[in-house]
Amino acid sequence: MTEKSFKGKTVLLTAGPTHEPIDPVRFIGNHSTGKMGYALAECFAQQGAMVQLVSGPTNQRTHHANIDVIQVTTANEMYKAMQKRAEAADVWVFAAAVADYRPKTVADKKIKKAGDELTITLVKNVDIAAALGKQKKEWQFSVGFALETDNESANARQKLHKKNLDMIVLNSLNDPGAGFAHDTNKITIIEEEATHTFELKPKSEVAQDIVDLIWKRLHG
């Protein structure tokens, strides 16, 4: 147990991608591996928190006694799992890369190859952080993630307000060694009144930086 203890706190955390089915064989997804979310779960658990980790499809594993993994596949499943547990959690961390859209209809059999084009109609998924942000209590602390490619700080700050977050962790795909699939990450943490920029680090150390700043805000 470190001096910065989360003992007695419950952390609800999302990690990994979501897969939105097209048919029984294919899906819409993204390149998220879940490494950042799982590193955060481990870091919180090591500091005494009880962690409820709602994980999309990923090869990441954790065996820490303080981490309860809830496996989901789609954005809707992730939302339901979060909604069920959000009210009792002290800290929410939205680290998953949730698909913004899903196919309007899912074929019950494999779609056969026919013609040169295939049109799939997509509908918007629920914005999990924004939806839960509407019911956030004064004592709860909410952290979002933003992966951006342009107007990065402005877009992240807009999400901070729109989703009723207390802080947002900005990743840029323009930074070498950051973002999906890497073992390293380079982040900027944006709060209402402050911005914190960090160097490129292993994701375990990035997780520690995030958890340390959350601890400071909770005990501030």
Side-chain angles (χ1 to χ4, degrees):
M1 191 80 63
T2 67
E3 184 184 340
K4 294 188 173 88
S5 174
F6 280 83
K7 190 173 183 180
K9 298 291 186 183
T10 298
V11 176
L12 180 60
L13 193 153
T14 66
T18 66
H19 290 176
E20 311 300 326
I22 297 171
D23 62 19
V25 177
R26 306 175 183 91
F27 61 84
I28 294 172
N30 56 59
H31 297 296
S32 173
T33 60
K35 288 179 180 179
M36 192 68 250
Y38 274 71
L40 281 163
E42 292 279 351
C43 193
F44 276 117
Q46 288 164 8
Q47 293 184 208
M50 299 303 297
V51 181
Q52 296 178 324
L53 175 59
V54 181
S55 175
T58 173
N59 292 326
Q60 303 300 308
R61 296 291 179 266
T62 178
H63 302 289
H64 198 291
N66 283 18
I67 301 175
D68 178 24
V69 181
I70 301 98
Q71 300 282 0
V72 298
T73 301
T74 67
N76 194 43
E77 290 170 356
M78 185 171 281
Y79 175 54
K80 288 180 178 178
M82 291 292 287
Q83 198 176 34
K84 182 178 178 181
R85 296 164 176 82
E87 189 174 354
D90 301 283
V91 179
W92 303 341
V93 182
F94 301 96
V98 183
D100 292 326
Y101 294 88
R102 69 182 187 277
K104 186 174 183 179
T105 57
V106 180
D108 57 1
K109 295 180 181 179
K110 180 183 175 183
I111 299 171
K112 294 297 184 181
K113 185 163 49 178
D116 294 330
E117 295 182 358
L118 172 67
T119 300
I120 298 174
T121 301
L122 303 178
V123 294
K124 189 176 286 188
N125 275 325
V126 62
D127 185 323
I128 299 173
L132 293 181
K134 294 175 182 176
Q135 65 185 57
K136 182 164 73 87
K137 304 293 193 298
E138 191 69 31
W139 52 271
Q140 292 177 309
F141 196 88
S142 180
V143 182
F145 274 67
L147 180 65
E148 301 291 342
T149 58
D150 60 286
N151 297 325
E152 296 162 359
S153 294
N155 287 338
R157 191 165 287 282
Q158 187 178 39
K159 290 178 180 178
L160 182 78
H161 297 143
K162 178 184 174 185
K163 303 184 184 191
N164 194 22
L165 301 168
D166 295 289
M167 66 173 60
I168 190 162
V169 180
L170 171 61
N171 295 266
S172 171
L173 280 183
N174 295 317
D175 291 324
F180 293 145
H182 295 286
D183 292 322
T184 54
N185 205 358
K186 184 177 185 297
I187 64 166
T188 300
I189 299 178
I190 297 173
E191 302 178 89
E192 184 63 49
E193 303 294 339
T195 300
H196 315 266
T197 302
F198 299 86
E199 296 304 313
L200 186 73
K201 298 180 181 183
K203 284 184 174 175
S204 58
E205 295 180 22
V206 174
Q208 189 66 63
D209 288 336
I210 296 168
V211 170
D212 284 350
L213 191 55
I214 294 171
W215 186 90
K216 287 179 185 176
R217 293 298 170 261
L218 293 178
H219 297 82

